[in-house]
Amino acid sequence: MKSLWLAEVTTVFALFWTSPGLGQVWTKTTAPDGNWEGVCSSASGQILTAAGWITNSSGYFSDGILYRSTNSGATWFPLSGPSQAWKTIACSAEGTRLIAAGADVYLSQDSGATWVQASTPPGQEWSSVCSSAGGTNLAATIYRTDGGTMCGAVYTSTNAGFTWENNAVSCFQCVRSSADGSKLLAGGCYGSHWGAPNVYVSTNAGASWNPTGGPCPSGFALTAEGTRIYIAVGGVVAASSDLGATWDFKAWPNISAADTIACSADGSKIVVAGYWVPEAYFPGLIFTSVDSGTTWVSNSAPSTAWTSVASSADGAKLAAVVEGGGVYISQSPSTPVLKIGQSGDSLLISWVVPSRVFLLEESADLRKWSGVAVTPALNCTNLNYEVGLAVPPGPRFYRLATP
């Protein structure tokens, strides 16, 4: 049952709706089966891109696969790209700029139509990539064997991949970015480095790094503003709201190996998936939370080898991929909330990028509504849509309505 809320800012009112949260039903898409290793989502969840590889009849590498959907996973089409065993992929908030890696790192500025090899070291075991909302700040980690010790490095770029810097301050295996790219989260723990700090944070786009007391990570999630960190580790999710100075461990039932995690822009909605390890009795399950990890709900998803999950900015559209399987999606109601701020003669109306189309409307009497003829601008710091208006002379109500 939907509920109606009314908020007042001086003589201006905001009208918005709320309804139940994150969905629990997963559907296999028409994307082909393969060894899918990574998936990324645009802020709206409308554009999805998945990366992986397929084997030949002998079970060895045959070809790399890159598939894309522009309608929230309803249909998919292949991208023409270099043939390699893709391990990881990330995209800008609009889904048009892509970074993907396997043995080499490749970049696309045109939604995957063409690809250019990055000037990062070739022939490495790249394990993780991330992108800022605008696609200008990028990071990539190497997972390599050095003298029998698993150890990695992180490379960063602040100019859309034109040049790169090596930030080899520790053993990094995965990396995540805030929406503006200023905050980076990187970590890993292997071999003789097991007792060393596992999680590092940067607040200057990778120029310098600070160790935290974070646990050994299997997967990371970072809110759009970089204010909250989630780490999938073993059978719990560890959360920090102070850049890793302190951690809160949040357990959930019936999952032993958490390998991949994603969250909404504000961190209120989380999705975590486990990798299926039958000999170790680890069920590959998916769990979701709509209260920042306080409580968890088991999803109706198959027990399988989940390798990567992605979330829209509002957490209502989710995607997940399987090693040796397919690409799955989950959809729940999108319930954006309007926020209103006032500065002098200007009015700023904002809402998180929703996973379905909404139009901003206004009314003076709650009876007759008309569209606001201003195109929302994307805030690449918090993944909000924003509309600036002159303060009206009398009361105004605002709402988001579907076309």
Side-chain angles (χ1 to χ4, degrees):
M1 179 178 179
K2 294 183 178 180
S3 56
L4 178 66
W5 295 79
L6 190 65
E8 180 179 2
V9 180
T10 62
T11 60
V12 182
F13 296 83
L15 183 67
F16 57 87
W17 298 86
T18 61
S19 64
L22 203 60
Q24 304 169 31
V25 177
W26 289 81
T27 303
K28 187 177 181 180
T29 70
T30 58
D33 285 355
N35 294 305
W36 295 107
E37 300 288 351
V39 63
C40 64
S41 171
S42 63
S44 67
Q46 181 178 356
I47 299 176
L48 303 172
T49 312
W53 52 284
I54 55 176
T55 58
N56 55 27
S57 58
S58 300
Y60 295 101
F61 170 78
S62 174
D63 197 6
I65 47 175
L66 292 166
Y67 270 73
R68 189 168 177 85
S69 173
T70 57
N71 52 14
S72 302
T75 58
W76 294 79
F77 57 91
L79 297 177
S80 58
S83 178
Q84 66 170 348
W86 300 102
K87 289 293 185 181
T88 176
I89 190 168
C91 62
S92 61
E94 293 181 335
T96 54
R97 292 184 172 184
L98 298 165
I99 176 172
D104 302 303
V105 179
Y106 282 84
L107 307 170
S108 176
Q109 304 293 323
D110 53 11
S111 302
T114 60
W115 296 83
V116 176
Q117 186 172 347
S119 59
T120 50
Q124 304 293 323
E125 292 182 27
W126 295 96
S127 56
S128 180
V129 293
C130 65
S131 172
S132 63
T136 55
N137 286 49
L138 307 171
T141 56
I142 297 175
Y143 174 69
R144 67 172 181 260
T145 301
D146 183 10
T149 300
M150 297 292 187
C151 193
V154 60
Y155 282 75
T156 58
S157 173
T158 57
N159 53 18
F162 183 73
T163 59
W164 294 81
E165 296 291 334
N166 182 1
N167 298 270
V169 296
S170 184
C171 287
F172 292 141
Q173 193 251 347
C174 48
V175 64
R176 291 293 179 267
S177 171
S178 61
D180 66 0
S182 63
K183 297 183 178 67
L184 292 173
L185 177 69
C189 49
Y190 300 97
S192 62
H193 297 270
W194 187 270
N198 300 315
V199 179
Y200 283 72
V201 295
S202 173
T203 57
N204 52 17
S208 62
W209 295 82
N210 296 311
T212 77
C216 176
S218 297
F220 284 144
L222 192 62
T223 56
E225 294 181 300
T227 55
R228 192 162 181 80
I229 300 168
Y230 293 109
I231 295 180
V233 50
V236 299
V237 166
S240 176
S241 57
D242 51 16
L243 291 180
T246 59
W247 294 88
D248 178 22
F249 291 85
K250 300 176 179 296
W252 72 90
N254 301 324
I255 190 168
S256 302
D259 282 317
T260 178
I261 187 170
C263 68
S264 58
D266 64 0
S268 62
K269 299 178 178 65
I270 314 169
V271 55
V272 64
Y275 191 89
W276 182 52
V277 186
E279 61 272 17
Y281 303 104
F282 289 168
L285 303 175
I286 296 180
F287 279 75
T288 48
S289 173
V290 295
D291 53 14
S292 303
T294 301
T295 59
W296 296 88
V297 175
S298 177
N299 285 209
S300 58
S303 178
T304 187
W306 301 105
T307 52
S308 181
V309 292
S311 172
S312 60
D314 65 359
K317 283 186 179 178
L318 306 175
V321 295
V322 177
E323 184 179 278
V327 178
Y328 290 73
I329 57 172
S330 175
Q331 173 72 67
S332 60
S334 180
T335 57
V337 174
L338 286 180
K339 301 175 183 177
I340 292 183
Q342 185 176 341
S343 176
D345 294 334
S346 298
L347 186 69
L348 183 67
I349 303 176
S350 64
W351 63 98
V352 69
V353 176
S355 54
R356 64 178 301 183
V357 177
F358 285 92
L359 302 177
L360 181 65
E361 296 182 340
E362 64 180 351
S363 173
D365 55 12
L366 286 178
R367 292 190 298 271
K368 183 178 180 181
W369 293 87
S370 60
V372 176
V374 178
T375 301
L378 174 64
N379 185 323
C380 286
T381 298
N382 55 19
L383 297 184
N384 279 1
Y385 279 146
E386 295 180 345
V387 171
L389 301 172
V391 176
R396 284 293 188 278
F397 297 90
Y398 293 91
R399 73 178 184 184
L400 291 173
T402 56

